Amino acid sequence: MKNIGFLSFGHWSPSPQSQTRSASDALLQSIDLAVAAEELGADGAYFRVHHFARQLGSPFPLLAAVGARTSRIEIGTAVIDMRYENPLYMAEDAGAADLIAGGRLQLGISRGSPEQVIDGWRYFGYAPPEGQSDADMARRHAEVFLDVIKGQGFAQPNPRPMFPNPPGMLRLEPFSEGLRDRIWWGAATNATAEWAAKLGMNLQSSTLKFDESGKPLHIQQAEQIRAFRAAWKEAGHKREPRVSVSRSIFALVDDRDRAYFGGSDSQDHFGYIEADTRAVFGRTYAAEPDVLIEQLKQDDAITEADTLLLTVPNQLGVDYNAHVIESIVKHVAPALGWR
């Protein structure tokens, strides 16, 4: 069995060719797609977070709304850029959204990706301390967030409060039991995957990672996953960790699929995601279901992971994206033993 969810960037564009033409469209359609995915038997609705972009930028109102409209599927992010986050305010938002969803939140967090603007986190009021990088700042914000969502008191109570306090130091409210075990780190390298394991976070690995060997993406990801699990075991955590990988996968079952994705490039690509950082970008899988099944059997990282996130072309509309999800759940997953 494998958890299968979708991952949406929530792109919107006023172009006549787009079925998602405004920020309102992107948000409301995201909720509708989550509801449809649950009805189709998928396991998760995940959303990418990008600031200063015509995409989904403020995740917690969306996560709460999806939580209120669904009852079973996991609801998550992949990923929230921690360079931009006030970890205490984020802990309150996350606790509230998780309680609304009944404990179904799966929050992916990370250092983030290249941005729409230069050092966008500075406009949010954040800057790394002297001698540290923005990546160091993101990891520090993450560590504070992980600490405060444990639910332990740390704030000195006012001796004359407006409302009665419980005894002892105060924690942030609302607190959601179990959320700490449902935080994931989006790792672009083996080293950050091992760091996440030591802190007890689950692992998310995207459709790209920094190139560390020149090997295909699925092989580098499988090595990353094994390094993560080894570090997890060494850290002595009691629970089993979870691991997700993201993929662009399209089963060509009708003329729409063939028109949209029949000519998709089926090779990995190597390039520079930042000026001095070489990355490997994963291929798009697009084929008839029987061919697709054989191709996916050869993907080592999918085999290693317990969760697969299907990237969806959200600007093609809710109905078509529900079809994309259904095609994988119905025509591909059973033959691979995922259902």
Side-chain angles (χ1 to χ4, degrees), residues 30-40 66 69-70 73:
S30 294
I31 298 168
D32 289 343
L33 183 58
V35 171
E38 180 170 82
E39 292 172 350
L40 292 168
V66 171
R69 287 281 306 278
T70 58
I73 59 170

Side-chain angles (χ1 to χ4, degrees), residues 249-253 261-262 285-293 295 332:
I249 305 174
F250 301 96
L252 306 182
V253 300
F261 300 106
Y285 289 96
E288 305 293 327
D290 56 339
V291 176
L292 199 56
I293 289 164
Q295 291 175 343
V332 176

Side-chain angles (χ1 to χ4, degrees), residues 187-190 193 203-210 212-213 215-229 243-247 268 280-282 285 299-305 308:
T189 66
N190 290 6
L203 174 66
Q204 288 181 338
S205 198
S206 182
T207 49
L208 66 86
K209 71 179 292 293
F210 293 165
E212 298 184 85
S213 67
K215 298 175 184 176
L217 172 69
H218 75 103
I219 294 176
Q220 292 201 47
Q221 277 187 325
E223 292 171 347
Q224 180 191 51
I225 293 167
R226 288 191 285 270
F228 167 79
R229 289 199 171 116
V243 174
S244 75
V245 294
S246 303
R247 288 290 184 273
D268 288 348
V280 53
F281 301 79
Y285 289 96
D299 191 308
D300 291 353
I302 293 178
T303 299
E304 290 276 354
L308 172 64

Side-chain angles (χ1 to χ4, degrees), residues 16-36:
Q17 285 73 43
S18 174
Q19 294 193 43
T20 309
R21 298 182 184 179
S22 68
S24 175
D25 286 346
L27 289 163
L28 295 175
Q29 290 177 19
S30 294
I31 298 168
D32 289 343
L33 183 58
V35 171

Side-chain angles (χ1 to χ4, degrees), residues 102-281:
R104 290 181 285 131
L105 223 58
Q106 303 283 342
L107 282 185
I109 64 176
S110 189
R111 170 262 190 185
S113 60
E115 306 173 86
Q116 297 297 109
V117 300
I118 297 170
D119 295 346
W121 30 269
R122 293 188 184 275
Y123 296 98
F124 279 55
Y126 301 112
E130 185 72 28
Q132 294 188 13
S133 68
D134 61 316
D136 295 327
M137 178 175 67
R139 285 188 283 270
R140 177 57 186 155
H141 285 182
E143 289 168 347
V144 173
F145 173 69
L146 293 173
D147 190 48
V148 297
I149 63 172
K150 292 176 183 177
Q152 298 171 352
F154 62 90
Q156 181 69 43
N158 187 339
R160 290 181 293 277
M162 181 177 292
F163 307 105
N165 281 325
M169 305 292 272
L170 300 184
R171 69 186 184 189
L172 288 175
E173 302 288 355
F175 169 68
S176 187
E177 186 75 40
L179 178 60
R180 174 62 178 82
D181 290 342
R182 289 180 273 113
I183 308 301
W184 308 56
W185 184 261
T189 66
N190 290 6
T192 52
E194 292 169 349
W195 171 82
K198 292 173 183 175
L199 269 64
M201 287 187 281
N202 303 305
L203 174 66
Q204 288 181 338
S205 198
S206 182
T207 49
L208 66 86
K209 71 179 292 293
F210 293 165
D211 177 29
E212 298 184 85
S213 67
K215 298 175 184 176
L217 172 69
H218 75 103
I219 294 176
Q220 292 201 47
Q221 277 187 325
E223 292 171 347
Q224 180 191 51
I225 293 167
R226 288 191 285 270
F228 167 79
R229 289 199 171 116
W232 184 279
K233 183 177 180 181
E234 183 178 351
H237 301 302
K238 293 188 169 92
R239 66 178 179 88
E240 285 297 314
R242 290 186 58 185
V243 174
S244 75
V245 294
S246 303
R247 288 290 184 273
S248 298
I249 305 174
F250 301 96
L252 306 182
V253 300
D254 64 21
D255 289 342
R256 291 179 302 168
D257 301 325
R258 286 182 278 273
Y260 285 136
F261 300 106
S264 296
D265 193 342
S266 61
Q267 301 295 321
D268 288 348
H269 293 275
F270 291 83
Y272 285 84
I273 190 171
E274 296 174 341
D276 57 351
T277 307
R278 190 169 188 258
V280 53
F281 301 79

